[in-house]
């Protein structure tokens, strides 16, 4: 890839005729660059030229011309952590986001159930007990009253807890005698019977009873998720789903048909029954003409803070005696880190609590020390979320080259209750983007959709303001951790490209780079902060193709 790019750049004046000419826009060629009026000529999926309009017209004689007067053109925005099939599925199931209490959520599930065939499972997602009176987890009996004997399963907004009814518990064989699995927790009533909420690995007990998606289901959901991302200006998503072989096969089929509207950088499952086979095939490294890359493994250290599954070094401040869950043992994480590094694959580890982050860093350290001469592709290990970090662990990100893949909207979603989980001391190491950068860590930014919205403008806004959509709190939550607009732009462009080994051909607008461009109707770099969330994408261009043009048929 780099050799081809060098040949292209050394060739001087391009000889291939342009197929697309973008004129009249204000162009940000890189996060650190000043904006300027410029034209962009595109040929064969790459940028031929960016600069003087007269020269661009000469190079693009006969090309399709797109007038972007009044628009603002950026290197293609990317989401460094998103669950694509989950995002597509979220558009098919009952949406519980914003539900005011458990009965409200149950009534939404009941409406969806009414449209399903007799006996079919009803699924939902997006509930958050932290927004409900009392902030208590819901009970299976509430769902029983709403849907009766039809099995129902609803994932919490973070994807780390599941609310089910009695019929689902029975289908999964869960009763008072069922033991908590390693890395999981079954919430129980005082008499020991299951209350209807399963945390982290306990969810698998029900997931195994759910009907598996068909190949058509997977393709439909992947395309729906990708189309939605394109409509918001995303040109690439780095998919944290940890796909099993059927998911990778679905992505490969879509890529081979040219059906993917945006680039996908996918991760595979670390399950022992799949990992060795995936690694043996070798990584699939995409490029400007290939919309699919498969070169990373996604593992989990712990659960989530909202469901008290994040693994902490000390007790939860609001649940003494509980320290969360390690969903993968440290020994197994060490094995995965060594195996992926030896095979030349990148490893992502989900880690939210300070203990979760420590065991992830320990695994990366052990692999680096034991395999110092591993293939280059095994570098750039990533911690996904890096949400709560102990003071002594911040320098370890730089020491072992670990990328902190963060989701800015998690901070503004969680700020109302995070300190109650952690207390005033640990909160200083939570959602600490400035502190990570000051320690020398490389960052990348995403959304974790469908946990949060896939709209990258909301992540940009949260990163620079530390405020919610209503503008609260005034001055921002723990404002010392804010990023500048240039840093937030890098988070979603050049930093995301680096996190996927793509900085040689993505992440800026320059001759020879992929023609991946995001066009906004207004300028997020100069707009009033309160106006940023409402800035729409005007056009999304991926590999020289217009993937989305919202507002036009």
């Amino acid at each position: 890839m780099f050799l081809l790019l060098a040949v292209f750049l050394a060739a001087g004046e391009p000889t291939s005729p342009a197929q697309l000419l973008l004129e009249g826009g204000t162009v940000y060629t890189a996060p650190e660059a000043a904006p300027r009026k410029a034209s962009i000529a595109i040929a064969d999926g790459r940028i031929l030229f960016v600069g003087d309009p007269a020269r661009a017209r000469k190079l693009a004689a006969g090309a399709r011309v797109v007038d972007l007067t009044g628009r603002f053109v950026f290197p293609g925005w990317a989401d460094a952590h998103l669950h694509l099939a989950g995002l597509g599925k979220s558009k098919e199931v009952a949406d519980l986001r914003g539900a005011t209490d458990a009965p409200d959520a149950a009534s939404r599930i009941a409406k969806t159930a009414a449209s399903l065939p007799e006996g079919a499972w009803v699924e939902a997602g997006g509930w958050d007990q932290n927004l409900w009176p009392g902030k208590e987890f819901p009970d299976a009996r509430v769902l029983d009253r709403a849907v009766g004997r039809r099995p129902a399963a609803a994932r919490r907004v973070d994807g780390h807890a599941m609310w089910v009814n009695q019929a689902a518990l029975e289908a999964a064989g869960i009763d008072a005698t069922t033991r908590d699995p390693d890395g999981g927790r079954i919430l129980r009533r005082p008499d020991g019977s299951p209350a209807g909420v399963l945390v982290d690995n306990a969810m698998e007990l029900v997931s195994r009873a759910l009907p598996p998606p068909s190949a058509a289901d997977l393709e439909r959901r992947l395309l729906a998720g990708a189309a939605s991302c394109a409509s918001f200006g995303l040109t690439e998503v780095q998919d944290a789903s940890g796909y099993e072989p059927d998911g990778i096969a679905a992505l490969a089929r879509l890529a081979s048909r040219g059906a993917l509207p945006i680039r996908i950088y996918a991760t595979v499952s670390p399950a022992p029954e799949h990992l060795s086979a995936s690694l043996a095939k070798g990584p699939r490294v995409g490029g400007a003409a290939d919309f699919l890359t498969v070169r990373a493994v996604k593992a989990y250290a712990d659960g989530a803070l909202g469901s008290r599954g994040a693994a902490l070094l000390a007790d939860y401040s609001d649940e003494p005696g509980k320290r969360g869950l390690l969903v993968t043992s440290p020994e197994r994480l060490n094995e995965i880190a060594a195996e992926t590094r030896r095979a030349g694959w990148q490893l992502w580890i989900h880690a939210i609590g300070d203990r979760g982050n420590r065991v992830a860093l320990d695994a990366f350290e052990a692999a680096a020390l034991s395999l110092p001469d591993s293939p280059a592709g095994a570098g750039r290990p990533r911690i996904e979320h890096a949400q709560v970090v102990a003071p002594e662990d911040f320098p370890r990100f730089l020491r072992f080259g670990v990328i902190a893949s963060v989701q800015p909207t998690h901070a503004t979603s969680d700020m109302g209750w995070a300190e109650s989980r952690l207390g005033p001391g640990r909160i200083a190491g939570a959602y600490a983007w400035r502190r990570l950068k000051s320690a020398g860590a490389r960052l990348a930014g995403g959304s974790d959709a469908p946990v949060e919205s896939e709209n990258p403008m909301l992540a940009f806004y949260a990163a620079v303001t530390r405020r919610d959509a209503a503008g609260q709190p005034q001055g921002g939550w723990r404002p010392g951790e804010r990023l500048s607009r240039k840093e937030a732009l890098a988070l979603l462009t050049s930093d995301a490209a680096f996190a996927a080994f793509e900085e040689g051909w993505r992440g800026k607008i320059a001759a020879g780079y992929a023609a991946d461009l995001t066009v906004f109707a207004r300028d997020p770099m100069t707009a009033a902060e309160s106006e940023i969330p409402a800035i729409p994408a005007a056009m999304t261009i991926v590999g020289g193709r217009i993937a989305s043009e919202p507002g036009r048929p």
Side-chain angles (χ1 to χ4, degrees), residues 419-515:
E419 188 165 348
S420 68
R421 294 279 196 277
L422 301 171
R426 282 181 297 196
I427 199 67
Y431 315 88
W433 316 320
R434 175 60 57 199
R435 192 168 178 180
L436 281 163
K437 286 185 73 70
S438 296
R442 293 290 299 250
L443 271 61
S447 67
D448 203 13
V451 175
E452 307 278 2
S453 169
E454 64 272 34
N455 181 355
M457 198 57 69
L458 301 183
F460 180 88
Y461 169 77
V464 301
T465 68
R466 305 273 297 197
R467 300 201 303 265
D468 64 17
Q472 296 300 318
Q474 290 294 322
W477 179 61
R478 302 185 57 244
E481 298 295 342
R482 289 180 300 191
L483 301 180
S484 70
R485 296 198 197 202
K486 287 184 178 180
E487 289 171 330
L489 177 59
L491 204 68
L492 298 160
T493 56
S494 57
D495 288 345
F498 179 86
F501 302 90
E502 296 169 348
E503 71 275 14
W505 59 278
R506 272 183 48 83
K508 64 180 179 179
I509 301 175
Y513 273 61

Side-chain angles (χ1 to χ4, degrees), residues 50 104-105 121-122 159 182 185 238 245 287 316 322 362 373 375 385 445 462 480 493 496:
V50 53
D104 178 23
W121 283 69
V122 56
D182 289 342
R185 182 182 177 192
Q238 296 170 20
Y316 274 85
K322 298 294 184 182
D362 288 347
D373 299 322
H385 310 303
T493 56

Side-chain angles (χ1 to χ4, degrees), residues 50-208:
V50 53
D52 176 65
R55 185 180 174 199
R57 289 190 203 102
K58 180 180 177 182
L59 293 170
R64 176 187 174 185
V65 179
V66 177
D67 183 5
L68 296 180
T69 300
R71 306 302 194 192
F72 300 85
V73 187
F74 292 84
W77 284 35
D79 190 310
H81 183 110
L82 179 147
H83 302 267
L84 194 61
L87 176 61
K89 183 177 178 178
S90 73
K91 300 180 184 303
E92 300 177 351
V93 302
D95 184 0
L96 308 184
R97 287 175 294 184
T100 56
D101 55 21
D104 178 23
S107 70
R108 298 186 191 191
I109 295 171
K111 289 178 182 178
T112 298
S115 65
L116 297 175
E118 185 70 27
W121 283 69
V122 56
E123 295 186 68
W127 59 272
D128 185 356
Q129 86 285 358
N130 292 309
L131 304 178
W132 298 348
K135 300 184 179 182
E136 298 294 331
F137 280 111
D139 192 278
R141 293 164 181 160
V142 179
L143 273 180
D144 291 340
R145 289 192 290 270
V147 300
R149 294 297 302 165
R150 179 194 295 274
R155 287 184 177 267
R156 191 181 181 278
V157 64
D158 59 13
H160 286 266
M162 182 185 287
W163 176 27
V164 298
N165 66 346
Q166 186 61 34
L169 290 169
E170 292 173 3
I174 300 172
D175 59 24
T177 66
T178 306
R179 298 181 61 181
D180 289 357
D182 289 342
R185 182 182 177 192
I186 301 170
L187 271 61
R188 302 177 190 274
R189 303 186 183 103
D191 64 0
S193 63
V197 171
L198 313 171
V199 180
D200 287 313
N201 287 353
M203 294 188 297
E204 287 302 310
L205 301 174
V206 168
S207 294
R208 289 196 291 264

Side-chain angles (χ1 to χ4, degrees), residues 124 219 304 333 438:
E219 290 190 18
L333 277 181
S438 296

